[in-house]
Amino acid sequence: LASYRGSVKDFVNCNAKQDAELLHKAMKGIGTYEDTILMLLASRSNNQRQEIKVEYKKAHGKDLVSALKSELGGLFETLVVALMTPPISYDASQLHKALKGVGTDDDVLIEILASRTCAQIKDIVKVYKKECGGKLEKDITGDTSGNFQKLLIMLLQVNEERRRDKRDTELIAAGKGKVGTDEEKFINILGNRSHEHLRLVFDAYKKVSGNDIEDSIEGATTGNLENLMLAVVKCAKSVPAYFAESLYRSMRRAGTDDQTLMRIMVSRGETDMLDIRACFKKMYGASLYTTIQEDTTGDYGKALLYLCGGND
């Protein structure tokens, strides 16, 4: 078994019943003890939080998430609700919000569909139908257009065995490495290949054209299609590096993009946070921990630091 690369682990000897009571007391007191809530939830795995939810309902006859929402507010509340949501449901709800909110949030569609594994995407499609009451493919088709739509749908149609194709390298040779000459074909390659295979294609591309594929994409496309193609390329090369860059960009701009920061910290806590931290340090010379510390405040900031799991 590969060693676990998440920062959030199962809490040893977790007692869900006891945890439910601690949360109940924290909410019932005069003023809510946010510290208890954030320390407890950040130090339990998502599965354990689901058990706590069940025990809370048994003991108090009401939903823990609704109770927490009535006591908390702002970004901290949003973060706590995210932590209480099972990972696949969380992804599905983020996609639903991105599609059904005011205007379409392309960045969320790009991030989730470019970075999740085939198995995760299959589950997201199922859960989306069950919990969001619609078909994800239909909702994406209704809200997007052109080659951006086409590539999103391809990423959604998971072929368990993503095809390997000799013609990829032939195409690259024929196109003399110009993305712009045959955008459609490039999209077909990006949407239907395994990461491992794409890395070989990118190497061949560089040999033929002398360019990194990213540079060619940036030169030949614009807007959301460019962002999606770049995300697919970056994830094929390294998912943790892709998230390290997204985290950096969410913080190092005028005003923090809290929604992106929160989404990544929640969804990668049990996946590859340790690798993301290592990439972040290598790419930016600062630790993710201190960057979050400088960029956030209050209980919300404290909870993110718990999820980060340590300073490098």
Side-chain angles (χ1 to χ4, degrees):
L1 203 71
S3 60
Y4 179 72
R5 302 300 292 157
S7 52
V8 175
K9 302 174 178 70
D10 272 332
F11 186 71
V12 190
N13 306 327
C14 173
N15 182 333
K17 203 170 174 174
Q18 216 173 327
D19 287 349
E21 282 324 291
L22 282 169
L23 289 171
H24 182 64
K25 286 198 181 95
M27 289 187 282
K28 216 180 53 170
I30 295 170
T32 300
Y33 293 98
E34 274 91 354
D35 265 4
T36 306
I37 295 172
L38 81 88
M39 282 171 74
L40 195 143
L41 295 180
S43 60
R44 303 295 184 268
S45 68
N46 195 285
N47 279 338
Q48 291 175 329
R49 293 182 210 125
Q50 303 314 315
E51 289 163 18
I52 296 168
K53 240 193 244 181
V54 172
E55 290 300 335
Y56 187 88
K57 184 128 197 202
K58 269 190 214 162
H60 302 286
K62 59 182 174 193
D63 177 51
L64 175 55
V65 179
S66 311
L68 286 163
K69 277 167 106 166
S70 67
E71 294 296 332
L72 308 170
L75 289 168
F76 184 53
E77 178 192 322
T78 310
L79 180 59
V80 166
V81 172
L83 288 173
M84 293 304 299
T85 312
I88 297 291
S89 297
Y90 181 63
D91 281 350
S93 71
Q94 292 297 301
L95 288 168
H96 188 252
K97 203 171 94 190
L99 289 160
K100 293 297 170 198
V102 180
T104 305
D105 189 341
D106 290 332
D107 291 345
V108 176
L109 303 182
I110 291 170
E111 179 194 299
I112 294 177
L113 293 179
S115 67
R116 301 307 190 253
T117 64
C118 293
Q120 287 170 330
I121 287 182
K122 271 189 138 162
D123 290 342
I124 290 167
V125 170
K126 275 187 215 140
V127 168
Y128 188 94
K129 191 171 181 184
K130 196 172 129 201
E131 294 178 2
C132 308
K135 276 197 168 149
L136 181 52
E137 185 178 334
K138 187 168 165 266
D139 289 350
I140 289 175
T141 310
D143 258 38
T144 57
S145 59
N147 279 334
F148 176 61
Q149 178 198 80
K150 193 177 164 193
L151 184 49
L152 284 173
I153 298 299
M154 288 168 99
L155 294 169
L156 204 56
Q157 307 283 350
V158 212
N159 314 324
E160 277 311 297
E161 253 319 291
R162 293 198 170 222
R163 294 191 300 280
R164 293 149 183 272
D165 201 330
K166 276 210 310 289
R167 286 171 312 188
D168 296 350
T169 35
E170 289 162 18
L171 151 78
I172 286 162
K176 283 287 173 283
K178 296 251 192 319
V179 175
T181 45
D182 209 337
E183 198 173 83
E184 292 263 330
K185 276 189 185 147
F186 266 91
I187 285 167
N188 285 335
I189 292 174
L190 290 177
N192 281 299
R193 306 292 183 267
S194 69
H195 283 177
E196 188 190 9
H197 180 69
L198 283 174
R199 288 195 292 271
L200 297 173
V201 174
F202 302 155
D203 290 343
Y205 184 85
K206 185 154 192 181
K207 280 200 188 90
V208 170
S209 68
N211 288 330
D212 275 327
I213 189 131
E214 287 99 324
D215 297 334
S216 300
I217 290 171
E218 282 170 2
T221 59
T222 53
N224 51 17
L225 176 62
E226 176 188 349
N227 294 337
L228 177 57
M229 287 173 84
L230 288 173
V232 174
V233 170
K234 285 170 185 171
C235 286
K237 289 184 172 183
S238 162
V239 171
Y242 166 72
F243 280 118
E245 186 188 341
S246 299
L247 284 167
Y248 185 80
R249 291 217 317 258
S250 77
M251 290 182 278
R252 286 294 176 246
R253 50 162 66 142
T256 305
D257 175 0
D258 286 299
Q259 297 307 323
T260 299
L261 172 57
M262 209 178 327
R263 194 172 55 248
I264 298 174
M265 295 307 292
V266 169
S267 62
R268 306 315 287 183
E270 291 182 41
T271 316
D272 50 8
M273 187 56 70
L274 301 185
D275 297 324
I276 293 171
R277 273 166 41 185
C279 287
F280 194 95
K281 184 84 196 251
K282 198 171 133 193
M283 289 159 73
Y284 303 109
S287 75
L288 177 59
Y289 191 93
T290 49
T291 310
I292 292 173
Q293 216 168 15
E294 287 160 12
D295 244 69
T296 59
T297 53
D299 296 310
Y300 163 67
K302 259 192 255 179
L304 289 175
L305 293 174
Y306 270 105
L307 294 175
C308 180
N311 201 343
D312 301 297

